[in-house]
Amino acid sequence: MRVLDFLFSPPCASKRGWLAAALAAAMGAAAPALAANYEFLAAPETDLNRVYRLDRATGEIGACQYGLKEGTVGVTLCYPSGEGAGPQASSEYSLIASRHEREGGVFRVDLRTGMMSICYVLNESVVCTPQAR
C-alpha cells in the first residue's frame, strides 16, 4: 500500500490532520530564525518610564513613555527622531544603557564600526550626539 493510499483510506483519515500538523511543525523548526527589525531598551534613570526604540538596520531611534491624562487610563507619549536620531548609514545598530541611575539617555552603537553616540529626549524629540569612537 502506498503512503498516500494509507493516509486517505477511511480508517486513517483522522491521521491526516495529525500528519499535516507534524509536517508543519517540522518545516517551521527547520526554517531559519529571522532577525528582529527593532530593539527596545528602557532608559536607565530609575524614576523615568521611557523606552527607546531602535531600527537595527538604519540606526533611527525614537522613544515613548506613559503620560497621565485626566478622565482616561493615560496616554502613550512618543517622541519622533530629531537631530542626529534619524536614519544613519546602513549597518547593524544596538542600544546600550549606562548603569547610571540618573541617566535618561542611551548609547546607540554601530556594531560593525564601533562608532557610538548618546541619544536622549530634548524638546519633544529624540536627539543624538555625533557618532564617535
Side-chain angles (χ1 to χ4, degrees):
M1 178 179 276
R2 296 182 326 187
V3 172
L4 289 177
D5 292 336
F6 172 76
L7 289 175
F8 290 101
S9 65
C12 297
S14 64
K15 294 180 183 176
R16 282 183 287 187
W18 175 85
L19 181 61
L23 287 173
M27 291 172 60
L34 298 176
N37 293 331
Y38 292 95
E39 182 175 330
F40 300 89
L41 183 67
E45 188 172 344
T46 58
D47 63 349
L48 184 62
N49 66 4
R50 185 171 296 148
V51 174
Y52 288 89
R53 177 194 67 251
L54 172 78
D55 183 313
R56 294 174 51 87
T58 68
E60 183 173 15
I61 188 168
C64 294
Q65 69 185 49
Y66 172 77
L68 296 174
K69 184 174 181 183
E70 194 172 314
T72 71
V73 295
V75 294
T76 303
L77 302 171
C78 291
Y79 303 97
S81 301
E83 184 178 340
Q88 307 295 299
S90 181
S91 190
E92 184 179 357
Y93 294 92
S94 188
L95 293 174
I96 299 176
S98 71
R99 293 180 182 239
H100 195 281
E101 66 184 28
R102 300 290 304 165
E103 180 63 58
V106 294
F107 290 86
R108 175 182 57 194
V109 297
D110 184 329
L111 298 173
R112 293 184 186 161
T113 66
M115 301 288 279
M116 64 177 67
S117 57
I118 307 291
C119 301
Y120 53 95
V121 173
L122 177 68
N123 298 331
E124 304 302 317
S125 67
V126 178
V127 297
C128 297
T129 62
Q131 292 188 14
R133 62 174 159 179

